[in-house]
Amino acid sequence: LPTPPPAPQSGAASEAVELVVAEMTRLLADGDADALSWLEQHEAELRSVLKDNYPAFLENVQQFRFDLALRQL
């Protein structure tokens, strides 16, 4: 049997994730090294968005390949 889709996030949770992604996008676009600490603080939210792409995203941020990480968001 197919797995049912995940339940949609509540409005507040969805908005919080959007804010985390928006700030991550800004930090990466600015080439700001604080992107790594932001990622560490908001790992769960970013993981929920990136899913299987999270490990590659993490590696790109850790290696300061912000241009590649930005394309993954």
Side-chain angles (χ1 to χ4, degrees), residues 32-43:
D32 192 327
D34 285 340
L36 183 56
S37 61
W38 183 259
L39 183 151
E40 291 168 351
Q41 292 171 17
H42 300 281
E43 177 184 354

Side-chain angles (χ1 to χ4, degrees), residues 3-5 7 9-10 13 15-16 19-21 23 26 29 35-36 41 44-47 50 52 58 61 63 70 73:
T3 305
Q9 294 181 337
S10 71
E15 187 174 316
L19 291 173
V20 166
V21 171
E23 180 63 10
R26 185 193 69 75
L36 183 56
Q41 292 171 17
E45 293 92 335
L46 292 166
R47 220 179 247 283
L50 293 163
D52 292 342
L58 175 62
V61 174
Q63 298 299 318
L70 191 55
L73 281 178

Side-chain angles (χ1 to χ4, degrees), residues 46-47 49-60 72:
L46 292 166
R47 220 179 247 283
V49 171
L50 293 163
K51 303 195 183 336
D52 292 342
N53 293 323
Y54 180 80
F57 178 80
L58 175 62
E59 182 177 340
N60 283 329
Q72 292 177 280

